Structure formats: C-alpha cells, structure tokens
C-alpha cells in the first residue's frame, strides 16, 4: 500500500505564489530533523519545483527500484557536534540533545526537478497530465520509515490540489490509527499584505470545503531588519496573517521576518554569521563558542541552518506543531 | 511495475485547436487534448471512453477562434505579463504598466486578469466590489478611469473569499468566454496578467490569441536564483510557443532603508540576477525596480503608486521600464505622453 511507512502527513498551502511555501517547507523539514524526527519532503509544484534548489541537491537524480522511485536523501540519521550550535542555546535541554551532541533524523526529498533532464526545460502540461503525476508521486515513491511527510504545493486551488486531496483522502485517515497514515492537516503560509491575505483566505476556505484541518497560519516576510542600522521595516505591511487567523478561528503559528542570510544560505550555502548582539524575536543570539571563519561553506545544510536566526523561531513553531499533532493522537 | 523515468511528453504547441467535445469521462494521462487535431485518433486514445466522441467531433479549427479574433480586432496591441514564479510582482507590474499607459490621455488601455484561483487585479485597482455589466453586445469591463478598463474573474464571484476549486479544462472555458464576450471596444493596449506556471491558462491564452496577434510577453522575476530558475522555464515556454519576449523586468531588486538610506539586497542576486539571465538568453533587459514598501501599500489600498509618489526612485524606475516596453512594442513617440 502506498504511504504505509508514514506516520503523519502535513501539507504546506497558500493561495498566493511567492509567499515562501517552499522556504517554510524547507525550514519545517530541517527543524523537524533537528528535533530528531525522520522527515520526507514531497514537492508537487510541477511547473516550478523549488525544493531541489532549497536543499542544494539540484544535481541529484531519482533512482528507480522495483516497485517505485527512491527519494533523494539530503542527510542520514547522525549526531551533530555541540560546538557550532549557538542559536538554540535556550532550548538545548528539551531537544533531542544527548551527551556529545545532537541526534538528528534522516531527511529525504522527492520532486519533479529530480526527473527533468535539463533545469531550464519548461514543463508544459495540461491538467490531466498533472493529475497523473501527482497521483504517481503519492503512490509510487518508496519512502523510508517517516515520522513526518511534508507536502509542498504550487499556488492556487486547481488540478494539483484537487488530485492531491482526492488521493490523500482515499489513502489516509483523518484520525491517527495503525492502519493508514494520518493526514495531520495543513500549514497555511501568507505574507502580511492585504493582497496576499485575500488570496490565502480562499485557501482557508478550500481547506474547510475539503475537510482538511488547518494546523495554523505562518506569516512570512514579516519585517526586514536593515543590516546597517538594525531598524525593522515592514516591507510587506504587518499583522495581516494574525488578523486572518483570528477571523477564521485557526491557530496563528508565528511571524517569520525576512532574513537575507537565510537567502544566502540557500543560494550559496554560506553559513550565516550575524553581527554581535543581534536580537531576534526578543532574544539576543548567544555568543558563538568557537569563531567560525566568515562565509564558511563547510558542513551540511542542516548544521549550518542551526546558525540561522530563523532556526530559533522555527524551533518554537515546530515544537508547538508536534505537540498539537501528538495531543490529537492521544485524544483520538 | 516501477514507474518510468522517461521524460514526460509535452503538449504540442503548434497544433491548431478545434472545438472540444463534451467528454463522458475524465481525460486519461496521455490524452493529446480533446481539442487537438489527433483527438480520438492518437495511439494513446485506444481504450479511452471518450475516443468515439473525440474522433467524431468535427475537425478543423475551433469555430470560436474567429469570433475571438473578431472581438479583439479593435485592440491594437496585446501584451502578456508572465513569470514562472508566483509572488514576484506580475499583478503589481501589470497594474503599474496599465496605469502608466493610461497616463497618456491619447491611449485607451485594458487590463485582463486570467488568474482564476488568485485574482489580485481588482484589489490593486481599487475596484474589488464591482460586478460585471452584461449587455446585449457582451460584457462590459469595469472602468477605473476614462481610458482604463479592467476585467477579472473576481467580478463574477458572489463571495470574494470563496475558493475557486476548478480543474484546468473548466478554467480554459472561462478564459475563452472572457476573450469572446468582453467588449473592449477601441483599445490601444491590452495587458494580460497571468497566473504563475506554464500550464492550462498559458496554453489557452496563447492558442486563443495566436490568430489575433500578440505583441509579446514581458517576463517578471526577482533577483534570486530560486526565482530565476522558474523564469528560465517560462522563457523556454515562450520559445516553444512562439511568443515574442519583449524583455525581462527585475522586481524587488534592492531595498533602501527608510531610516538610514542604506541600500541592501533582501533577495540577493547570487547568480547575477535578471540582467545576467537576460544577457545569457539574449533577451532585452527592461530594467530593475527597487523594493519600496509603499508600492505594496498602494496596491493594498487600490491606489496608483505612480500618482501618489511621482518623485520616488521606484516610480522613475517603473517609468523607465514602461518606456522600454513601448519601444520594444514599436509604439511611436513617448508612451507616457509626458513629452
């Protein structure tokens, strides 16, 4: 049976394009892995797959095995050393931290980007072909044992979404059980400005219509801190995501500011280094124990991500999400 | 059986369209498209419940296309605004482009929104609450000012927060209806805003407008590689579909802190940004528009940014880009009507 190795499925949705669905998916996946869970990421954006780029595995190709496709591994289960962890200083006791370092869960990805011969090629498909591909992605990928499967979606509420939900509702259960994987719900991403919120409201109504639980709203690109004078500008307005979550009676998971160093981490693989005393979300970043050379590209993505200012924020967001999903498990 | 790793076949873009028959079952995966010439006769059609219907439907071009061509014969220039990536500012740029053109009192401008699942144009133009007026001669666009008309699917929705959960075929039908029914009248420039991607909407707009002639496409991107990656796909699409590329605009390029005037790159162009992409691909680079929070605010309130902040650097950059678009289209004189 497809998806049998998966415990929880979480969708990442947004009615609007370019609000950071893939960026949020990436960070949720990295944080889940940092907290010791095994994670898979499925990218069903067929005409504009970004996940391979985000994880820095654009060159990878999917391998074929009897019975299906083998997803592309990003990293295996392993133990990261303490020394470079500085942003999570306040949380290290309650994480998966153990003597001698932090144990992280394995992470693997599947995307149409891994199948295309040339990254420049346009995928010009009409609906039925997209439907077939989404179905195949859900049924023919040989995932390893996963605690969480994150599904990154294209913008809108069209073919990909309808096919995704049709297939998922057939193969999953809304409440956790031992037989079928559990469709935990959807994380909805928006930016603060009204233009984006009005599209994302449509997505919340889509969830309502299809009976998918909304795990919460993440407001992305909320504010930008000038690297010169540390003044925070609300580039795309502010507060829209929170107001929308309240209006629809769904949880608000948090605001994520723009961090140019995260962009640089993804684009160039450079470990983020912040000026001394940078304040993120009310917490001063802990001093680094060992001075790492500026602009170092050493290490794996998840390790470097621990030095990103957003990692602390996501640590909280993911902790709340996991707790929410678990409490449902117990309640059912 | 293991799934095939073969690169999936792509849609034939040059095939003429015929009128699609009413299907009895969903199209199968390798369907050549019920509107294609091979409908019902292609190898993949064997065993499809629709085969008979498709095969017996009259061949030859879609009889509605001449109607569309006739309807749009009074529209002199048509521009598509495209981007493979979402949220890079297609709609913002489309509205700015049409507002800038409409600054010239000698031009009549139309703006059509083909993003069905996430229409943003009505809000940006401040006409969110409007509905369509239907007359005997067709649908009347919503006029924002004397020489600027707007058409969007939003005007037809009873509830503006309702999700439009439609598959491709249904969206194509609506786009066709838009092109057939809307009475643009004597219009100098029609700007067509599109959703992100390279799929149904794009194929339809292209095939329906082919015979009435499209001047070309303006591509919008942000500077970082994640966005450029998708724009490359859009360039590939334009080439395959035979759409002329008028040029590439780089949006959200650089941000000037309102506090200290320090310019920083929020979305860093690690691979050379839009300028390098345009050079590599041999397409015109139309200019870079800086990120100004006031553009977003003006869009949220449905005001014209160009009118509100005529002296800002972003405004100057936008005007520069619009002039370049005018030149690429071969319009005579200053398109902004300022000289």
């Amino acid at each position: 049976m497809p998806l049998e190795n998966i415990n929880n499925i979480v969708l990442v949705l947004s009615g609007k394009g370019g609000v950071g669905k893939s960026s949020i998916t990436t960070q949720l996946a990295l944080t889940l892995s940092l907290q010791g869970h095994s994670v898979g990421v499925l990218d069903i954006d067929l005409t504009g797959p970004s996940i391979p780029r985000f994880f820095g595995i654009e060159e990878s190709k999917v391998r074929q095995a009897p019975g299906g496709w083998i997803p592309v591994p990003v990293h295996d289960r392993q133990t990261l050393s303490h020394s470079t962890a500085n942003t999570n200083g306040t949380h290290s006791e309650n994480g998966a931290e153990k003597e001698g370092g932090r144990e992280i869960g394995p992470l693997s990805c599947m995307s149409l980007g891994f199948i295309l011969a040339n990254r420049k090629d346009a995928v010009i498909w009409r609906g039925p072909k997209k439907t077939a591909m989404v179905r195949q992605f859900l049924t023919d990928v040989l995932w390893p044992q996963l605690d969480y499967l994150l599904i990154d979606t294209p913008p809108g509420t069209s073919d990909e979404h309808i096919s995704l939900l049709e297939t998922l509702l057939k193969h999953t259960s809304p409440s956790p059980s031992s037989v079928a994987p559990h469709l935990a719900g959807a994380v909805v991403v928006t930016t603060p400005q009204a233009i984006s919120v009005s599209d994302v409201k449509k997505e919340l109504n889509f969830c309502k219509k299809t009976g998918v639980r909304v795990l919460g709203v993440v407001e992305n690109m909320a504010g930008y801190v000038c690297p010169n004078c540390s003044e925070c500008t609300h580039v795309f307005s502010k507060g829209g995501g929170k107001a929308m979550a309240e209006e629809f009676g769904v949880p608000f998971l948090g605001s994520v500011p723009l961090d140019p160093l995260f962009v640089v981490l993804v684009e160039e693989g450079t470990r983020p280094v912040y000026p001394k005393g940078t304040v993120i979300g009310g917490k001063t970043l802990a001093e680094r124990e060992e001075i790492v050379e500026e602009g170092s590209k050493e290490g794996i993505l998840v390790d470097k991500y621990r030095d990103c200012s957003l990692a602390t924020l996501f640590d909280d967001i993911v902790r709340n999400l996991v707790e929410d999903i678990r409490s449902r498990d117990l309640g059912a | 059986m293991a799934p095939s790793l073969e690169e999936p076949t792509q849609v034939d873009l040059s095939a003429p369209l015929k009128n699609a028959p009413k299907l009895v079952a969903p199209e199968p995966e390798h369907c050549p498209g019920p509107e294609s010439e091979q409908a019902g006769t292609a190898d993949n059609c064997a065993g499809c419940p629709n085969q008979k219907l498709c095969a017996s439907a009259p061949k030859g071009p879609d009889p509605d296309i001449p109607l569309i061509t006739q309807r749009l014969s009074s529209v002199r220039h048509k521009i598509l605004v495209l981007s493979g990536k979402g949220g890079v500012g297609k709609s913002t740029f489309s509205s700015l482009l049409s507002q800038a053109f409409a600054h010239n009192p000698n031009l009549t401008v139309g703006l059509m929104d083909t993003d069905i699942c996430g229409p943003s144009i009505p809000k940006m133009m401040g006409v969110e609450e409007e509905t369509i007026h239907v007359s005997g001669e067709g649908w009347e666009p919503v006029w924002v000012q004397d020489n600027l008309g707007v058409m969007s699917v939003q005007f037809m929705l009873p509830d503006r927060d309702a999700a439009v959960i439609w598959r491709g075929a249904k969206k194509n039908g609506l786009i066709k209806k838009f092109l057939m029914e809307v009475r643009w009248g004597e219009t100098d420039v029609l700007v067509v805003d599109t959703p992100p991607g390279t799929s149904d909407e794009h194929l339809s707009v292209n095939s329906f407008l082919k015979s009435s002639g499209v001047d070309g496409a303006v591509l919008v991107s942000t500077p970082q590689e994640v966005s450029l990656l998708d724009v490359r796909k859009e360039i590939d699409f334009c080439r395959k579909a035979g759409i002329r590329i008028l040029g590439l605009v780089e949006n959200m390029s650089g941000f000037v802190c309102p506090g200290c005037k320090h310019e920083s790159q929020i979305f860093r162009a690690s691979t050379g940004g839009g300028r390098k992409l345009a050079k590599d691909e041999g397409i015109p680079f139309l200019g870079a528009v800086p990120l100004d929070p006031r553009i977003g605010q003006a869009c949220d309130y449905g005001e014209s940014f160009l009118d509100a902040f005529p002296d800002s650097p972003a405004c100057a950059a936008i005007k520069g880009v619009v002039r370049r678009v005018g030149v690429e289209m071969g319009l005579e004189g200053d398109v902004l009507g300022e000289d």
Side-chain angles (χ1 to χ4, degrees), chain A residues 15-19 22 45-50 53-54 58 62-69 112 114-133 135-136 140 155-160 162-163 166 192-196 198-199 201-203 205-206 209-210 221 224-229 231 233-237 247-248 258-260 263-264 266-268, chain B residues 1-11 13 17 27-31 35 84-88 91 115 117-120 123-124 128 154 157 159-169 171-172 196-201 203-204 207 223-226 229-230 232-234 236-237 240 252 255 257-260 262 264-271 281 291-294 296-297 299-300:
Chain A
K16 181 94 188 126
V19 296
S22 300
D45 190 342
L46 305 176
T47 56
S50 317
R53 174 92 198 161
F54 269 100
E58 270 186 298
V62 159
R63 278 184 308 139
Q64 209 170 3
W69 285 321
L112 188 63
F114 298 134
I115 300 176
L116 298 177
N118 186 340
R119 66 200 284 264
K120 276 158 92 173
D121 286 350
V123 174
I124 309 166
W125 292 353
R126 289 203 181 264
K129 179 72 206 168
K130 293 202 279 190
T131 300
M133 194 43 134
R135 244 181 241 151
Q136 209 173 2
D140 293 346
T157 48
S158 193
D159 294 279
E160 290 93 332
I162 301 173
S163 317
E166 270 176 4
Q193 79 267 45
I195 284 289
S196 166
S198 66
D199 280 354
K201 278 182 182 168
K202 290 175 192 284
E203 203 74 29
N205 279 322
F206 171 78
K209 245 182 210 172
T210 48
M221 308 196 191
Y224 171 69
V225 178
C226 174
N228 189 41
C229 67
E231 183 176 305
T233 310
H234 295 283
V235 186
F236 300 107
S237 171
E247 186 187 330
F248 279 78
L258 280 162
D259 182 353
V263 181
V264 174
V266 167
E267 294 265 299
E268 293 160 32
Chain B
M1 198 191 85
S4 101
L5 272 181
E6 241 175 86
E7 197 162 333
T9 45
Q10 306 218 325
V11 177
L13 290 163
L17 293 187
E27 299 131 287
E29 176 182 349
H30 292 291
C31 177
E35 60 286 296
K85 181 98 190 119
V88 295
S91 300
D115 191 341
C117 292
S120 317
K123 194 174 187 84
M124 290 183 178
E128 214 181 354
Q154 178 85 64
L157 299 178
D159 172 9
R160 60 195 176 122
D161 291 344
V164 179
I165 311 172
W166 287 4
R167 286 194 181 271
K171 296 199 279 192
N172 298 336
T198 47
S199 192
D200 293 279
E201 293 92 334
L203 288 166
S204 303
S207 51
Q224 78 276 39
E225 179 60 27
V226 171
L229 185 63
D230 290 353
R232 277 195 195 94
K233 292 179 192 289
E234 205 72 34
D236 186 38
F237 169 79
K240 283 181 177 151
M252 308 194 198
F255 170 72
C257 172
C260 66
H262 173 83
S264 55
Q265 304 292 324
I266 297 189
F267 302 108
R268 206 160 102 163
S270 58
T271 54
E281 295 286 342
L291 185 59
D292 187 330
R294 294 174 300 186
Q297 278 162 21
C299 287
D300 277 359

